[in-house]
Amino acid sequence: MDTTLFLFAIGPVKPFIENSRKARDLYAGSYLLSYLMKEVIKELHNRDARLKIVFPLEAQSNVPNRLIAQVDQYSQTEKEQLGQQISKFVQQRFVDICRNVFSASNVSPNPMAMQQIEHFLEVYWVFEQQPTYELAYKYINASLNNIKRLRYFKQMNEPVGRKCDLYPEYNAIIVKRRANGMLPSFVDASSAIDVTNIGTCKYALKLGEGLSAIAFVKRMLHLLHVKELPDYKLNISSVAYMLLKNSLGEEKYNELPLLQNEASEALFDLQNGQQLSTDEYSLEHIRISQALNQQISLSSVRTSPYYAIVKFDGDGMGQVYNDYADQQIQEKLSKETSQFSNEVRRIIVEQGGICIYAGGEDFLGFLPLDKLFQTMYELRQDFLANVKAPVSYGKPLTFSAGIVIAHLMQPLNRILAKTGDMEKRAKESFADKNAFAIGLVKRSGDQLVFQSSFGNDGKILLLINQVIVSLAQKEYSKSFVYNLNQTLTRLGSVKSDNKQRIIQVLIEQALQQSTSLLTKDEFNQQSSMLYQLYLDFESDIERFQSFLQFVAFVSREVN
C-alpha cells in the first residue's frame, strides 16, 4: 500500500513572535503558535483512528508550527475535507482567543480590529501519496515550499494613518493618549480605541503607544491564563525583573517579587535619574521601587542594566530529516529533540533566565550575564548527550547560536533582529557550523562582534567565563586588556614564522604588568588560558582583540 502523508503548518512564525516590545509580547506570540498547534493535534486525535501523527510529540513544552500525519486510507474527498476543516478550525480558534482577550481587557473590538485578526493567521496544508514513506516525506516538504512561494495573501484596505508600533503593516487601533492628553500623532480617530482610562490596560501600554489588534492580543493574552489557557506562564517575568532577581535575590529584598512584571523597570528608571509617573506605574509600585532603590544605594550590590539574549538552532536538521526519511529514525529524532526542549526550559529557569520558546532544537531566551557561558556550556553538553544522529551520519549533531548583549533601554525588536544576524553569522562563518557569534551593543551605540567554533568539547565557553570572573574579581586589572590590545594592533602587520610564540610572550608580559596578586601557578594558569583562547580563535588577532574588549566590558557588568 502507498504511504500518504498530511503536512499542516501555521504561520507567520517570525513576525508572530519577534514583533515585540516586551518579553511578555515575545512569550505570548510563541505560546499562541504552540497552543494552536496543540489544539490541532487534539482535534486530529478526536477525529479519526485511521490518522496517525508522526511528529511533533504533543508532550513537549513548545510544539513546532508544523505537523506531519500519516493518512494512508483516506480518499481524495476525505483529504480535501480534512485540510479545509482543520484550516477552518484553527482559524476560528485563533479568532475566539482574540475575542476573549478583548473581552477580558474590557475593550470592544471594532470592525477594523476584527479585520486585522481575521487576516493575520497563515495556514498551509498539503497531502502527498507515494510508494514509500521516504518519497512521500521528501515530496511533501518540496510541495509546501512551492505553495509558500506563491505568497498568497488577502488584501486589506485600511485608511491612511498611524501604523502599529510592532506590526507596521497594520494601522494602530488600540491607543493610549500622550502625556498632554492628545491621541498619538496621525492616529485615525474614527477607528481608534482609546484605552487610556481602562483599568486593565492602564499600565500595559506606554504613553502615546499605538497597537494593532494582533499586538494588543499578545500584550494582554495573560488575562486568559486561569480559565482558557491554564498552562500559560503568567509569571513570565520582565527582563528587568530577571536582572534584579539575579543581582539582589528575593530573600534579602522581600518586596522585590511585587515588581515581577514590567513594574521592575521603575527601579532602573530611578537609577537613570528619571522621575516616576503614575501614567506608567502604580503608586504602590513607585513606593516599592523608591524603597528598594534606597536600600541598593546603601549596599555594594551593582544592578547592571545589561542582559544576554540567546537564539540557537540545530545545524542542518532539515537536511538530516530529508536524508534519513525513515519513519522510525524520524520518530526517534523527534522524541529526542522534544526531550531536549523540555530540558532546555528546566536549565534556563534554574539559571534565573527567561525561556521564550524551546521547541525541538530551536531556542530563544534571556539570561543574566554572569550565567551566560556556563549555561550555554550546559545546554550544549545536554544536546550532544541526548540528541543522537543516525548511525551512518558519521558525526554528532550540533547547534549554532547567536548571542547579543544589550541594554534595557534599547528597543527589543532591534536586538532580536541583531540576535538573528548573529545566529546567521555563526552558521556561515564555519564550514561545519557548530559555532556561536556574539554581538555587544552598548547603550552609547558602540558595537563589537566576534565569533568562534564551539570545538569538539565546547570548553571555550568555560574559558571565556573564567576570564570574565578573573577580571570581575580583580585578579588582574583591566589595564591588561588595554595594554595587550595596543601591542597586538602594532603586531598585526608583522610577518613572522614565530608569531604564535611572540603572542604567547606578549600575553605573559601584559599579564605580569597588570597584577602582583597571582601566585606563580595562578599566573601560569591564567596566561595559558588566555593563550588557549587565542588559539581557539584560530590565531586571528582581530577576533582575539574583539574578545578582549568584550570580556573587559562584561566583567564590569557582573557581580
Side-chain angles (χ1 to χ4, degrees):
M1 176 186 287
D2 286 353
T3 296
T4 303
L5 296 182
F6 170 50
L7 191 158
F8 187 84
I10 304 172
V13 177
K14 187 172 181 178
F16 208 160
I17 297 172
E18 294 188 8
N19 290 24
S20 302
R21 185 173 71 82
K22 300 169 178 275
R24 181 172 288 181
D25 298 345
L26 269 178
Y27 178 75
S30 168
Y31 175 87
L32 262 178
L33 273 178
S34 179
Y35 174 82
L36 289 172
M37 187 54 79
K38 285 182 178 180
E39 289 292 287
V40 169
I41 292 172
K42 288 178 186 176
E43 179 70 11
L44 290 175
H45 279 318
N46 294 334
R47 273 179 168 266
D48 196 336
R50 294 177 299 166
L51 183 148
K52 178 190 175 185
I53 294 175
V54 180
F55 53 81
L57 297 179
E58 191 179 358
Q60 66 191 78
S61 54
N62 276 84
V63 173
N65 70 309
R66 62 168 63 189
L67 69 80
I68 288 185
Q70 193 166 343
V71 287
D72 294 344
Q73 300 175 36
Y74 274 50
S75 67
Q76 184 63 30
T77 301
E78 287 176 315
K79 293 175 189 175
E80 292 176 2
Q81 288 177 345
L82 178 65
Q84 292 166 358
Q85 290 170 3
I86 294 300
S87 295
K88 185 176 180 181
F89 166 80
V90 74
Q91 294 272 14
Q92 188 59 51
R93 190 73 193 94
F94 177 66
V95 170
D96 289 344
I97 289 172
C98 294
R99 285 185 182 276
N100 292 343
V101 168
F102 272 91
S103 177
S105 305
N106 298 319
V107 177
S108 297
N110 59 24
M112 187 176 291
M114 290 309 303
Q115 184 184 35
Q116 289 180 353
I117 289 167
E118 290 165 358
H119 280 70
F120 180 74
L121 206 64
E122 296 175 0
V123 176
Y124 305 96
W125 55 271
V126 61
F127 289 85
E128 190 66 49
Q129 182 175 342
Q130 293 292 337
T132 65
Y133 177 91
E134 180 179 1
L135 285 174
Y137 180 83
K138 289 183 176 181
Y139 278 111
I140 203 168
N141 281 289
S143 297
L144 180 66
N145 291 333
N146 289 334
I147 292 171
K148 286 187 174 183
R149 287 193 191 100
L150 294 175
R151 301 190 66 81
Y152 169 79
F153 68 97
K154 300 175 184 176
Q155 181 65 46
M156 287 186 63
N157 296 308
E158 293 189 326
V160 174
R162 167 78 172 266
K163 295 300 179 182
C164 171
D165 290 355
L166 303 182
Y167 291 89
E169 65 269 36
Y170 295 123
N171 278 7
I173 299 175
I174 296 88
V175 298
K176 183 175 180 178
R177 292 179 181 271
R178 293 177 290 175
N180 62 7
M182 302 293 289
L183 289 173
S185 302
F186 307 112
V187 163
D188 178 15
S190 65
S191 60
I193 302 173
D194 183 1
V195 299
T196 307
N197 297 316
I198 296 177
T200 50
C201 306
K202 185 172 177 62
Y203 303 113
L205 278 72
K206 64 180 181 180
L207 291 173
E209 189 171 13
L211 300 179
S212 63
I214 304 302
F216 181 74
V217 166
K218 286 173 57 176
R219 184 70 55 82
M220 307 302 291
L221 185 68
H222 64 278
L223 295 177
L224 301 186
H225 80 284
V226 175
K227 294 182 180 179
E228 191 162 353
L229 307 176
D231 59 337
Y232 183 90
K233 304 294 184 187
L234 178 66
N235 62 348
I236 183 79
S237 70
S238 66
V239 177
Y241 181 76
M242 175 193 77
L243 295 176
L244 292 174
K245 182 181 176 183
N246 184 65
S247 297
L248 306 178
E250 292 176 330
E251 298 79 10
K252 184 176 179 181
Y253 297 86
N254 54 23
E255 283 193 306
L256 186 59
L258 299 176
L259 300 180
Q260 187 162 347
N261 56 25
E262 288 79 3
S264 52
E265 295 169 7
L267 201 147
F268 285 99
D269 287 345
L270 286 172
Q271 294 186 349
N272 287 326
Q274 299 179 24
Q275 294 292 320
L276 300 185
S277 167
T278 53
D279 289 321
E280 295 185 85
Y281 304 107
S282 69
L283 285 171
E284 179 67 1
H285 287 152
I286 290 174
R287 180 195 67 77
I288 295 170
S289 298
Q290 289 172 337
L292 282 173
N293 192 46
Q294 182 67 23
Q295 282 183 270
I296 293 168
S297 66
L298 298 174
S299 72
S300 59
V301 175
R302 173 174 170 74
T303 53
S304 171
Y306 282 89
Y307 64 89
I309 181 168
V310 180
K311 183 179 183 182
F312 65 69
D313 173 51
D315 294 325
M317 293 296 287
Q319 191 62 47
V320 172
Y321 274 96
N322 267 326
D323 291 346
Y324 295 88
D326 175 89
Q327 187 168 351
Q328 288 185 333
I329 290 176
Q330 290 187 345
E331 287 179 345
K332 176 179 177 292
L333 192 54
S334 177
K335 182 179 180 181
E336 289 173 352
T337 55
S338 173
Q339 291 170 342
F340 171 69
S341 71
N342 291 333
E343 278 298 292
V344 168
R345 187 173 294 277
R346 178 191 64 78
I347 291 169
I348 294 297
V349 171
E350 284 181 357
Q351 296 297 329
I354 302 171
C355 183
I356 298 300
Y357 65 74
E361 77 285 358
D362 293 350
F363 167 78
L364 176 67
F366 299 87
L367 282 165
L369 294 188
D370 60 341
K371 305 291 179 59
L372 172 61
F373 292 100
Q374 183 67 44
T375 304
M376 284 299 300
Y377 178 77
E378 187 175 349
L379 290 172
R380 187 175 181 278
Q381 293 302 103
D382 194 282
F383 184 86
L384 293 175
N386 296 303
V387 182
K388 299 295 186 181
V391 175
S392 61
Y393 190 63
K395 60 180 181 179
L397 295 175
T398 58
F399 65 70
S400 292
I403 302 167
V404 171
I405 311 301
H407 190 283
L408 276 174
M409 299 295 288
Q410 291 159 331
L412 180 58
N413 56 349
R414 294 181 190 173
I415 301 305
L416 284 166
K418 180 77 172 179
T419 309
D421 291 342
M422 290 299 98
E423 183 189 42
K424 182 180 179 183
R425 185 185 183 113
K427 287 182 178 292
E428 292 179 349
S429 296
F430 301 90
D432 293 331
K433 301 180 181 179
N434 182 35
F436 64 95
I438 298 181
L440 169 61
V441 185
K442 299 180 184 179
R443 189 183 180 187
S444 63
D446 293 342
Q447 300 188 28
L448 66 85
V449 172
F450 67 92
Q451 67 277 347
S452 172
S453 169
F454 282 117
N456 292 329
D457 56 14
K459 288 189 177 178
I460 185 173
L461 297 167
L462 300 181
L463 293 177
I464 294 173
N465 189 63
Q466 287 174 30
V467 173
I468 292 171
V469 170
S470 296
L471 285 167
Q473 294 179 348
K474 297 182 171 55
E475 293 180 14
Y476 46 92
S477 71
K478 295 178 179 65
S479 64
F480 158 78
V481 172
Y482 176 78
N483 293 334
L484 183 57
N485 254 329
Q486 291 290 97
T487 307
L488 290 176
T489 299
R490 292 194 295 269
L491 184 67
S493 59
V494 175
K495 294 183 178 180
S496 171
D497 294 336
N498 294 321
K499 203 168 203 177
Q500 288 191 344
R501 176 57 187 154
I502 292 172
I503 288 178
Q504 186 175 17
V505 171
L506 290 174
I507 289 172
E508 291 171 356
Q509 289 177 346
L511 188 60
Q512 200 165 34
Q513 292 169 6
S514 66
T515 183
S516 59
L517 302 176
L518 300 177
T519 66
K520 183 177 180 180
D521 286 344
E522 290 171 339
F523 178 87
N524 290 336
Q525 181 184 7
Q526 291 286 352
S527 60
S528 296
M529 179 172 65
L530 288 160
Y531 180 64
Q532 182 59 52
L533 281 164
Y534 167 71
L535 297 178
D536 287 340
F537 288 115
E538 299 179 321
S539 302
D540 185 314
I541 290 179
E542 288 187 8
R543 280 163 57 192
F544 186 58
Q545 286 180 293
S546 293
F547 157 74
L548 290 172
Q549 295 174 52
F550 171 81
V551 293
F553 179 87
V554 171
S555 65
R556 296 196 298 266
E557 302 298 327
V558 298
N559 287 318

